[in-house]
Amino acid sequence: MSTKLTEGNSINHSTQSTCFHCGDNCEEVINHDSKEFCCHGCVTVYDILKDNNLETYYELNGAPGTKSNSSTHKFDYLENEEIVKGLLDFKNENIEKITLKLPAIHCSSCIWLLENLTTIIPGVKQSRVNFIKKEAAVLYDSSVVSLQKLVNFLCSIGYEPDLKRKSKEKSTDSYSKSLIIKLAVAGFFFGNSMLISLPHYLDESFLGLDMFSQYFGILNILFTLPVLLYSSADYFKSAYAGLKNKFLGIDVPISLGILTLFIRSTYEILSQTGAGYSDSLCGLVFFLLIGKWYQNKTYRALAFDRDYKSFFPIAVNKVDDQGSNYIPIEELKVGDQLLIRNQEVIPADCTIVEGISSVDYSFVTGESDPHRKSVGDLVYAGGRHFGSLVKVEIVKEVSSSYLTSLWNQSSMKNEKNNLQTAIDGISSYFTIAILIIAAVTAGYWAVIDPSKIWNTVTSVLIVACPCALALAVPFTYGHVLRVFGSKGFYLKNASIIEHLAKLKLLVFDKTGTITTSQTSNLKWVGPVLTESSKQLIKTACSNSMHPYSRMIATHYQDVDILTTESFEEEKGRGITAIINGLSVFVGAAPKGHEIDSEESVVFVEIEGEQLGYYVMKATLKSGILDSLTEMKPEYEMHLVSGDNNASYDQLSPYFHRLLFNQRPKDKLNHIQLTDESNSAMIGDGLNDAGALTAANVGISVVEDLHQFSPACDAIIKGDQLVHFPKFLRFSKASLRIVYAAFILSFLYNFIGMSFAVLGFLTPLISAVLMPISSVTVVGFVTLAINFMAKKSLKF
């Protein structure tokens, strides 16, 4: 029976259909566009997606949507600007950024839809999803769409945000606490079930089993209920979610194994045909949860190590009554004051105390649109300062992990490694293979010995586990990140390791990369400088991070710094500043005044009058020639420098190709004309930014100042560059460790499955072996990486 609703829609009172959008059973079927829906909300969402040509959402997963149950007035409090301000990650005029917790994210369709919000909602400029954390970072124009409208729209399509302001640490601790409680419940009933099942393993006549067997059996069923309904609930929920989205995860065979043991045990006890397997069931869940607890604990420890100890080398120039010095970012507190030079990235939300800044938020928003900020203005973390030296004061707690996330979102390259993609593919078929083997095993024992069907099938379902396989790559690469970080080599993410291992072309910059900035190599040519001229030159150079500028500024350590009124730095040309009303230029020779010198030359002009020039004698880093010699037979080696060719004869034996007098654009073109897929650019991160971005792996070399370089994929301390060949070899060794872990995992599954199929394993032993496999792989990876580090990275 159908009832006419609107044009194109009708209601069919049937409960046999599932909703095309959300997959729920339809109490009343709404026929729309030749499809069946459970409610008008799902019809609305479908129409929105169709109108915006986003039907691919339904092609990625069947019925991937979620039903909206949110009130339209629930988020009215977002009209309050102060509340909104407290929720935002970033705000600059009308551009705002917020990270929303979206618990309804559950499949690839969710990711695809949420990352296409720019197509659906006017004003949304960018949306990036973190599937693991179930978060979406949304950048939007508040003059077009308010946060309230954005949130209400997400609610309307089934993704209601959780705007409770809880810390990540508390959330993680809550999950761990819940897991421990479930583990404790399973352990308690496992022990008691084993205790009352003990007579079945001993002399039954001596213990008077007949008198108490039925009573103990009922008690065992009661013991298994909390374990089944509470401790193992997550396995059933995960299995159901996977089946609902047509995905067979590893929790499907585990859930089948648990359910099989419970049904078989309940049948045997109630029918008095056997003692059941209640103790095995409780033990199975107990040991499975131990494996999950171990895996969770190890992941957390590894993530903590990466986020706060050695993953990211930010240091900042803190200033106080005693002067200024560089300290790690994690030591900063609200109220601390920092000095920010031209092109440095602002590490935390600050207010400007002294100076004027032109802040470029392209690192955060993706749009290069500098904004002028003066004393008292708020500047956000991730903005890049352009202009003269400014003093800022921190107003919000520093977040190293926030800057790390910005670093990772600044480029879409290298986000996925080939090994992890292969593992994802294998894991997707793993469960299907397990179910087929279990079915074949059941058929075999049904003919040979029907009494062994339950045990063998359950053991097969439990013992096979792709967890060890899935752990191989993240744990190996995670340990490599830790080891590299402890040695002064910091990678953006784990996928960079695989790219390092496959490099064929290495392109080096010269100045500030393979050379040092020692003031002893600095020589002034021209009239003797007055004290005021030295002050002007030092002040101008103190605003810049270029190696030559730092060399000149350091040369005049005892000279005072003046106030800079304006500052401009042109890549490949030099710096121009207005100081005390005087124009100061420090940089390349003006046209017609070039000097024929074998060394690098930096000219100085004050008020348009050329005073003279500095001669910079390039001194190679100690040991760098040995490193270049070591790499040349294995890699194609190029040198691309902005300096003259005075060092050609000295460096030509170590490179296959040398290019001099190269401007930043020339360096970029050189990378683009080579094989970008297997190339690395090693430079100072300033003039080389374009080339660093274009190369498959961009490595920024930093000296005593820890510069944050968004364009690069890795940062290496200047004094550690001589060990670059060792880092490359270690990257290759890590791939071999991953392959060995793969073999270990496959070997475990093959042997375990063989014994299970042949009936030599019980479900309880299978449950014990399952977490042991993960422990074995993690232990092997940890020991192998530590051994290789001690052997290969001795410095």
Side-chain angles (χ1 to χ4, degrees), residues 671-684:
I671 292 293
Q672 291 175 336
L673 292 173
T674 59
D675 183 7
E676 298 175 32
S677 62
N678 293 294
S679 66
M681 175 69 198
I682 302 97
D684 61 15

Side-chain angles (χ1 to χ4, degrees), residues 554-565:
T554 305
H555 183 67
Y556 299 114
Q557 289 184 354
D558 299 329
V559 176
D560 294 332
I561 295 178
L562 306 175
T563 301
T564 304
E565 296 161 20

Side-chain angles (χ1 to χ4, degrees), residues 454-464 752-753 756 761-764 766:
W454 292 98
N455 264 356
T456 53
V457 170
T458 306
S459 297
V460 167
L461 292 172
I462 299 302
V463 76
M753 291 281 280
L761 293 181
T762 65
L764 182 59
S766 298

Side-chain angles (χ1 to χ4, degrees), residues 12 23 33 106 119 178 181 186 242 285 300 323 326 357 396 424 437 472 483 559 670 692 763 775:
N12 185 358
D33 199 19
H106 65 278
T119 304
S178 172
I181 293 174
V285 176
R300 285 186 62 195
Y326 287 94
S357 174
K396 188 177 180 181
D424 293 342
I437 293 173
V483 171
V559 176
H670 180 74
L692 289 171
V775 173

Side-chain angles (χ1 to χ4, degrees), residues 305-434:
D305 195 315
R306 287 181 55 192
D307 286 344
Y308 297 98
K309 291 184 180 177
S310 64
F311 180 59
F312 197 61
I314 299 180
V316 289
N317 191 2
K318 179 183 174 182
V319 61
D320 51 30
D321 296 337
Q322 283 72 43
S324 64
N325 61 302
Y326 287 94
I327 62 172
I329 189 173
E330 60 266 22
E331 294 182 11
L332 290 175
K333 301 179 180 63
V334 173
D336 286 348
Q337 293 188 342
L338 313 175
L339 292 178
I340 308 294
R341 287 179 170 81
N342 181 50
Q343 296 191 43
E344 281 189 323
V345 172
I346 300 164
D349 293 356
C350 308
T351 55
I352 296 179
V353 177
E354 292 180 10
I356 297 175
S357 174
S358 180
V359 184
D360 182 358
Y361 285 115
S362 59
F363 186 30
V364 182
T365 65
E367 299 179 358
S368 182
D369 185 17
H371 298 268
R372 183 180 174 84
K373 300 291 181 180
S374 55
V375 174
D377 288 343
L378 177 67
V379 290
Y380 285 88
R384 184 182 282 277
H385 161 65
F386 285 91
S388 58
L389 192 72
V390 295
K391 182 187 291 186
V392 298
E393 182 174 311
I394 297 175
V395 297
K396 188 177 180 181
E397 182 180 353
V398 175
S399 173
S400 178
S401 58
Y402 174 65
L403 288 177
T404 301
S405 68
L406 289 180
W407 191 19
N408 275 283
Q409 82 167 24
S410 63
S411 174
M412 291 293 290
K413 67 177 182 177
N414 298 334
E415 285 194 344
K416 194 79 170 178
N417 56 72
N418 295 330
L419 285 177
Q420 191 62 52
T421 303
I423 291 173
D424 293 342
I426 293 172
S427 297
S428 64
Y429 292 103
F430 194 88
T431 301
I432 298 175
I434 293 173

Side-chain angles (χ1 to χ4, degrees), residues 524 527-541 552 556 559 562 573 575-588 590 602-614:
W524 169 254
V528 177
L529 293 172
T530 64
E531 191 65 22
S532 61
S533 295
K534 291 179 182 178
Q535 288 180 325
L536 292 171
I537 294 170
K538 180 179 180 179
T539 301
C541 292
I552 295 172
Y556 299 114
V559 176
L562 306 175
R573 176 79 181 95
I575 55 179
T576 304
I578 303 297
I579 305 168
N580 285 355
L582 301 175
S583 172
V584 180
F585 170 79
V586 181
V602 176
F603 279 78
V604 176
E605 290 183 3
I606 296 179
E607 286 291 287
E609 178 184 350
Q610 183 179 316
L611 297 188
Y613 56 88
Y614 291 97

Side-chain angles (χ1 to χ4, degrees), residues 201-215:
Y201 300 98
L202 302 174
D203 188 342
E204 297 182 2
S205 60
F206 176 75
L207 295 175
L209 179 63
D210 292 339
M211 183 184 303
F212 299 101
S213 60
Q214 189 170 5
Y215 168 74

